[in-house]
Each structure stands twice: as C-alpha cells, then as structure tokens.
Amino acid sequence: MTAGEIFPADMSRRRNSVTDQIKNFILRNDLRPGDLMPTESEICATLNVSRSSVREAIRTLAALDIVEVRHGYGTYVGNLSLAPLVEGLVFRGVLSPEDNFAALREVVEVREALDLAMAGPIVTALTGQNDEQLRALVGTMVDKATRNEAFPEEDLAFHTRLLSYLDNALVGQLVAAFWEVNTVVYPLLGLAPAADMDETAKAHGTMLDAAEAGRIDDYKQAVIDHYLPLRRALQKANARRAEK
C-alpha cells in the first residue's frame, strides 16, 4: 500500500485534525483491535503534516485506547476499551469533593438506572435457570458480610455473570466501568464501607431468586434495595461534611 492510498489528500480532509484523519482511516478500512497501522512516515507524507503533529495525535489516540504504540514494533489499533472513561470519571469524582459527593452520587444513579433498564431481558434470560456460579457468589457475599468484610470482587463477578446472559457487550462494559469508578472513588474520598453490607449481599440473592423465578417486579425492587446502603452512606457523608 502506498502512502497515497492510505489517506485521501483532498482539502476537506486537510481541514480535519490529524487525530480525526487517523480515526477516519481506521473506520474506512474496517480495522479491528490489534491490526497494524500505517507508519509515522507514511502518515506524515500523506497528510503533509509535521512529525510532531503526528506524534501528538498518536499520543492523544493512545490515551483514548484507540491506538496502541508497541515500541519497536509499530502502532496498532487499540482495544477500544472504556478505560479512558473510567479514568476521567475517577478524576471527576475526587476533583471537587466539596460538592457534597455529587459526582459519586451520579455514578450510583447511573449504575442503578442501567440495572433497572436491563431488568426485563435479564429476567427473561434467567427464568427457569439454576445458575450455580451466581448462587455461589451470593453465598460468599453473605458470608463475608456476616464477618463485616467487603466483597468487591464477588460483587463485580456477580454483575458480570448476570449481564453475560444478554446479547449486549456494551452494557456489561458500562456496568463494569461504573462499578470500578465507584470502587476507586469511594476510598479516595475517605468514605468508609457501608455499615449495612449485609443488606447489599442479601439483595443479590433476592435478585437471583426473582430472576430465576421470572418475577420482574421483585427483581427491580431487589435492584433498588441493592443500592440503598450505598445511598445511605453517601447521605451520611454529606451530613457530616455539612456539620463541619
């Protein structure tokens, strides 16, 4: 492939940023994660831009996980993960804690909204099932809660397994991303784990029971109950900060 075949050289393309043109190249050529990108020299020659501009564009795209630079091997299409979203939301969550934890509250609200929005498909998929893996995770969470131990790994594994029943990979990625933001930001803001973790653990079990029995209203209520301890913890933190 020649440099001229890599990118069109018309003026409308030149008005776009180098970053945009590289993204458009990936789209036009239907590249997938792991595919090799043009060399830096090819991009410079075709776009008629400086090497520094190309390097800056590549750095930007790498930060977004759109490309991956493998030193000594070349530049490849990245994994296109939601890692940049997580990093941005984590920073947003700890940047201004004086805003009464609004950023973290918003993350919790989005998590709950996603879980409720997927309630119908999840219950449909799990009705009549007997998922021993989910049942074991619930058992571990309940057991840890009785010992006043946190269970973040089991919590994430439960939701990941639950969403694996859906034909929608993006929802699973979003839920995992928001879960990670929640888990990282919580301790960074000096918030202690919710005192009533046993409620959260039991709510997972209720969600599973309702889904396997095909009871969508009970499932939705269990989702809401699942987030109540976290909401109460944030409200208490707000109250303590207001008293200072």
Side-chain angles (χ1 to χ4, degrees):
M1 178 181 294
T2 66
E5 294 173 325
I6 296 173
F7 298 96
D10 59 278
M11 292 303 295
S12 63
R13 297 285 298 153
R14 289 172 184 267
R15 287 198 296 268
N16 291 337
S17 70
V18 177
T19 302
D20 287 337
Q21 293 187 58
I22 295 174
K23 288 191 294 185
N24 287 336
F25 168 80
I26 294 173
L27 295 174
R28 282 201 327 276
N29 289 275
D30 197 28
L31 297 184
R32 292 291 180 264
D35 287 348
L36 182 64
M37 293 286 296
T39 67
E40 184 179 277
S41 297
E42 288 176 318
I43 297 174
C44 289
T46 304
L47 301 182
N48 192 25
V49 294
S50 67
R51 189 174 295 271
S52 61
S53 296
V54 172
R55 289 178 176 174
E56 180 63 27
I58 292 297
R59 280 196 293 269
T60 298
L61 294 171
L64 295 172
D65 201 22
I66 293 175
V67 303
E68 176 188 358
V69 178
R70 302 177 190 175
H71 296 289
Y73 295 93
T75 300
Y76 296 77
V77 178
N79 292 320
L80 309 177
S81 71
L82 297 182
L85 171 66
V86 172
E87 290 297 322
L89 288 174
V90 167
F91 187 72
R92 179 174 180 267
V94 299
L95 181 61
S96 302
E98 68 274 5
D99 66 356
N100 294 327
F101 308 104
L104 187 53
R105 173 182 53 78
E106 290 168 357
V107 168
V108 173
E109 290 175 351
V110 171
R111 286 181 60 195
E112 183 176 315
L114 281 171
D115 283 344
L116 289 173
M118 292 296 104
I122 286 176
V123 170
T124 298
L126 276 167
T127 297
Q129 300 289 331
N130 182 20
D131 193 312
E132 295 182 359
Q133 185 174 336
L134 285 172
R135 191 67 58 185
L137 287 168
V138 170
T140 301
M141 285 187 279
V142 171
D143 183 57
K144 285 191 172 184
T146 59
R147 301 196 302 269
N148 201 33
E149 296 179 10
F151 41 83
E153 293 84 6
E154 292 80 10
D155 192 330
L156 177 58
F158 178 90
H159 289 280
T160 300
R161 173 73 176 176
L162 203 64
L163 291 166
S164 70
Y165 279 88
L166 303 180
D167 185 24
N168 192 325
L170 180 58
V171 171
Q173 292 172 10
L174 284 170
V175 168
F178 284 117
W179 179 93
E180 185 176 350
V181 171
N182 204 147
T183 303
V184 173
V185 172
Y186 213 76
L188 287 177
L189 292 181
L191 294 168
D196 36 14
M197 291 187 297
D198 58 321
E199 289 186 32
T200 300
K202 291 176 181 177
H204 286 91
T206 305
M207 288 169 63
L208 181 57
D209 289 341
E212 293 183 344
R215 301 193 306 268
I216 187 168
D217 289 339
D218 290 344
Y219 179 87
K220 288 182 176 180
Q221 185 58 54
V223 168
I224 294 172
D225 293 341
H226 164 273
Y227 288 103
L228 282 178
L230 185 52
R231 287 180 176 276
R232 285 197 294 263
L234 287 172
Q235 290 172 353
K236 290 178 182 177
N238 278 336
R240 287 194 297 269
R241 174 153 292 170
E243 293 172 357
K244 294 181 180 179

